[in-house]
Amino acid sequence: MAEKEMEYRVELFNKMTQTCFNKCVDNKYKESELNMGENSCIDRCVSKYWHVTSLIGQLLGSGRPPM
């Protein structure tokens, strides 16, 4: 069971990383560091991703139908 949980967490992290990177980082790497806009976008994206994942987990755990 712990191994499945770890696989799920790794997959979730990889999907979140890919999604937020594609959404927030320009494909034309102009600088070696993230600029302020990219950094803010990634921060918001990760926060929302974890929040939604948590909500979905709670809904699935409680057996309640989605709103």
Side-chain angles (χ1 to χ4, degrees), residues 24-26 30-45:
C24 298
V25 178
D26 189 12
K30 300 172 189 167
E31 304 167 9
S32 61
E33 302 280 328
L34 293 174
N35 64 40
M36 188 182 235
E38 291 168 334
N39 214 2
S40 295
C41 179
I42 288 173
D43 188 46
R44 284 190 312 271
C45 181

